[in-house]
Amino acid sequence: SSDLFLAMGYAIIINTIGSLIFGIQSFDDDNAREHYTGKLLPAFKSMPFFLKPIWKGPQAPQSELSFSRIDNNIGQELGSKIKFATTASRKYFDGKKLKFVSLEEEGKTLSEDIFQRWAVIKQTLAQGSGSSIHGFACHPTTVADMDEGGGRNFFKLNDESKFYQRNPKSGQTKSGLIRLFIPAIDGLENFIGPYGESIIDTPTPEQAAYIQRDIGAREYIQSQLDEYVRIGTPDAMKSYRDLKRLFPLCYADCFRTAEGDTGF
């Protein structure tokens, strides 16, 4: 999902004129840089020229991608930029004007209260207390252990993002977001068919030949869960809960706690 949102942010920012920012922030000081240098820049380098507006600096700028002219360039500039946060702090983008922000892996963020951070960042995406929205935010994540804080804060954010519970005057949820759950079996690696389709249940003969498996993603994940239950030891049940949380089949699986680790 992170790759999808990076692509979405890029598509938005290269169609934006003005000093607006596509921001990337993650759960620690290094992960946002990895998303920028390890995912976005390689994609940018391989793009055809007509999808690469005039930018300032080398072919792969390591600190930020600024769509501005340099002295020897001719043509109109966008003036927008792509920038990653060097810290997980809520203060990093405070006061900036964002067009798009991807807040990666918030469920694993322990060094900052992401519930409070979002209260700051959402003001950079709108004006007039949200009455004029000019930006878009994505919060893709798997969820860390609830007892460690990251998952609990993300749960609070989700709880205020229920689509059918909105302010009748503004039309917004309490957080200004809406939650979207995608089960792990949809788009699971090695269970994608020849036409890009998710192979969730029993594959067709053509799909089975392509993925070299005769089962779908649901049966594959469930077989791992069943094996941990069959073993039944405290360690196995901890692994069962960890797998449920990392590869959730339903929304509730995302926020499973560590209770029961004692074996009782």
Side-chain angles (χ1 to χ4, degrees):
S1 62
S2 294
D3 294 347
L4 171 63
F5 293 130
L6 289 175
M8 183 188 301
Y10 182 81
I12 289 173
I13 206 66
I14 65 170
N15 286 282
T16 298
I17 297 176
S19 55
L20 290 163
I21 299 171
F22 166 15
I24 305 169
Q25 192 167 31
S26 193
F27 62 88
D28 63 18
D29 297 352
D30 297 323
N31 195 257
R33 178 189 295 273
E34 291 175 9
H35 281 280
Y36 174 80
T37 60
K39 295 181 179 179
L40 192 141
L41 280 187
F44 176 74
K45 289 169 64 176
S46 64
M47 285 180 183
F49 74 92
F50 50 81
L51 290 178
K52 297 168 74 171
I54 290 172
W55 76 95
K56 182 165 59 179
Q59 185 175 5
Q62 295 301 301
S63 59
E64 66 178 29
L65 187 53
S66 178
F67 298 112
S68 302
R69 287 200 311 268
I70 55 178
D71 292 342
N72 295 328
N73 275 344
I74 299 173
Q76 185 179 3
E77 64 180 19
L78 291 178
S80 55
K81 66 176 64 174
I82 300 173
K83 188 175 183 64
F84 65 89
T86 56
T87 173
S89 170
R90 71 190 74 176
K91 296 180 180 179
Y92 190 85
F93 287 118
D94 189 16
K96 307 267 192 318
K97 194 172 183 181
L98 301 182
K99 182 68 175 179
F100 185 95
V101 62
S102 183
L103 298 162
E104 304 283 344
E105 297 292 0
E106 286 190 315
K108 299 175 182 176
T109 305
L110 303 180
S111 61
E112 173 65 287
D113 184 333
I114 59 97
F115 187 77
Q116 296 298 326
R117 184 175 72 182
W118 172 241
V120 174
I121 291 180
K122 74 177 180 179
Q123 300 304 323
T124 70
L125 297 160
Q127 295 176 334
S129 189
S131 60
S132 176
I133 299 172
H134 56 72
F136 186 82
C138 292
H139 302 244
T141 190
T142 52
V143 182
D145 198 320
M146 290 283 287
D147 293 343
E148 293 181 359
R152 192 171 298 279
N153 289 331
F154 193 68
F155 177 78
K156 287 167 58 180
L157 190 61
N158 271 261
D159 201 45
E160 293 194 354
S161 306
K162 298 174 181 176
F163 181 79
Y164 293 105
Q165 295 181 14
R166 290 183 284 171
N167 183 317
K169 301 297 183 183
S170 68
Q172 298 179 33
T173 63
K174 192 172 181 180
S175 69
L177 302 166
I178 59 171
R179 63 189 185 187
L180 170 66
F181 169 72
I182 301 175
I185 54 178
D186 191 351
L188 185 66
E189 189 172 354
N190 296 319
F191 290 88
I192 306 297
Y195 306 105
E197 74 278 17
S198 294
I199 303 175
I200 295 175
D201 296 307
T202 304
T204 65
E206 181 185 15
Q207 290 173 331
Y210 185 81
I211 64 173
Q212 298 184 345
R213 289 180 171 87
D214 59 0
I215 60 172
R218 189 193 312 277
E219 186 176 350
Y220 178 77
I221 295 294
Q222 191 61 51
S223 68
Q224 293 179 299
L225 295 171
D226 291 344
E227 180 63 13
Y228 287 132
V229 172
R230 186 191 66 78
I231 296 171
T233 63
D235 285 344
M237 295 313 296
K238 182 181 184 304
S239 297
Y240 171 87
R241 290 187 291 275
D242 289 343
L243 185 65
K244 274 273 191 180
R245 191 174 61 251
L246 292 172
F247 295 92
L249 301 180
C250 65
Y251 178 73
D253 288 344
C254 298
F255 300 103
R256 286 182 170 267
T257 69
E259 65 184 20
D261 285 351
T262 58
F264 293 99

